[in-house]
Amino acid sequence: MIKKAAKGTLMVASLAVAGGLYVNTVFDPGAKPIPVEKASAHYVDKQAVINALSTKAELVGLTGKVAKTIEYNDSEWYGDKTYKLAATGTFKLGIQTADIQVTTHGNTVTVKFPQPKIISVDIPFDKARVSKDVGMFRKDLNEAQLQAMFGKARTGAIDDIKRNRQAFDKAEASVERTIEALIKPVENVKHIEFMEAK
């Protein structure tokens, strides 16, 4: 019975001491707050970014029209032969998504992609317009000769596209916007940076 009372007295004393700790605690508004353990940070999942980009095999930056005219002249003493072939069509500039390089750091995604290139050129032979002026004693060009003219027109059109720096600049800006639109919805992405691919 005496032992039990001693235990009870000891417990009351302990509570009193503990209570005193709280009673004597003074709130100091200038004191620094005790740091609370931060929740685990959420970073961008690189594979999620790659998956978002992989929804498209290629990114078309610019679609345009192209036209090229080729002339054929052959003059002989017995008559002249002149042909004019006008080829028209469309082209696409862009990149393959497989060529895009992605790195992630925290909530930032860094993207590198190559300069856009010609993805396709569609200049149908059967849409080419041919005008001719053939003397009475001259023969018309045959199918093979017309195909050769068309081939030169197509090659010339592609060369014109390659020299069109403005078209490639527009394509690059458009590809960048498309990449941004694909990556932004990925969870935890807050910043997207673009770097020139070497």
Side-chain angles (χ1 to χ4, degrees), residues 13 16 44 74 144-146 176 184 189 193:
V44 178
D74 182 21
Q145 290 171 315
L146 287 173
E176 190 171 302
K184 272 185 178 178
V189 172
E193 296 177 349

Side-chain angles (χ1 to χ4, degrees), residues 68-129:
K68 192 70 175 179
T69 300
I70 294 291
E71 290 191 22
Y72 171 89
N73 295 293
D74 182 21
S75 296
E76 297 290 347
W77 64 270
Y78 50 89
D80 297 333
K81 179 162 53 177
T82 301
Y83 274 77
K84 186 180 288 186
L85 183 145
T88 58
T90 59
F91 67 91
K92 292 179 182 179
L93 303 179
I95 65 168
Q96 301 296 321
T97 50
D99 294 332
I100 300 173
Q101 299 173 22
V102 172
T103 56
T104 59
H105 182 74
N107 300 113
T108 300
V109 180
T110 302
V111 181
K112 293 181 183 180
F113 64 91
Q115 290 289 316
K117 60 185 177 182
I118 298 174
I119 292 177
S120 66
V121 178
D122 182 22
I123 306 177
F125 175 70
D126 58 354
K127 301 291 183 183
R129 295 191 311 275

Side-chain angles (χ1 to χ4, degrees), residues 7-175:
K7 282 184 180 177
T9 306
L10 182 62
M11 190 164 71
V12 170
S14 298
L15 288 171
V17 172
L21 290 174
Y22 287 98
V23 169
N24 295 325
T25 300
V26 179
F27 175 70
D28 180 6
K32 293 182 179 178
I34 299 170
V36 179
E37 187 178 345
K38 292 182 180 179
S40 58
H42 297 288
Y43 298 129
V44 178
D45 180 4
K46 181 178 178 180
Q47 189 57 49
V49 174
I50 293 170
N51 291 344
L53 292 171
S54 299
T55 57
K56 295 180 179 288
E58 62 185 25
L59 302 181
V60 177
L62 180 70
T63 299
K65 294 182 179 180
V66 64
K68 192 70 175 179
T69 300
I70 294 291
E71 290 191 22
Y72 171 89
N73 295 293
D74 182 21
S75 296
E76 297 290 347
W77 64 270
Y78 50 89
D80 297 333
K81 179 162 53 177
T82 301
Y83 274 77
K84 186 180 288 186
L85 183 145
T88 58
T90 59
F91 67 91
K92 292 179 182 179
L93 303 179
I95 65 168
Q96 301 296 321
T97 50
D99 294 332
I100 300 173
Q101 299 173 22
V102 172
T103 56
T104 59
H105 182 74
N107 300 113
T108 300
V109 180
T110 302
V111 181
K112 293 181 183 180
F113 64 91
Q115 290 289 316
K117 60 185 177 182
I118 298 174
I119 292 177
S120 66
V121 178
D122 182 22
I123 306 177
F125 175 70
D126 58 354
K127 301 291 183 183
R129 295 191 311 275
V130 178
S131 58
K132 62 182 180 177
D133 181 11
V134 180
M136 184 183 297
F137 301 105
R138 302 299 308 272
K139 289 183 180 180
D140 284 335
L141 293 181
N142 59 35
E143 184 73 12
Q145 290 171 315
L146 287 173
Q147 287 280 6
M149 282 187 70
F150 174 76
K152 287 181 180 179
R154 189 177 191 283
T155 300
I158 292 172
D159 288 341
D160 288 347
I161 295 167
K162 288 177 178 177
R163 287 192 293 267
N164 190 343
R165 192 64 256 160
Q166 188 177 7
F168 282 90
D169 289 343
K170 285 182 179 179
E172 184 175 1
S174 179
V175 165

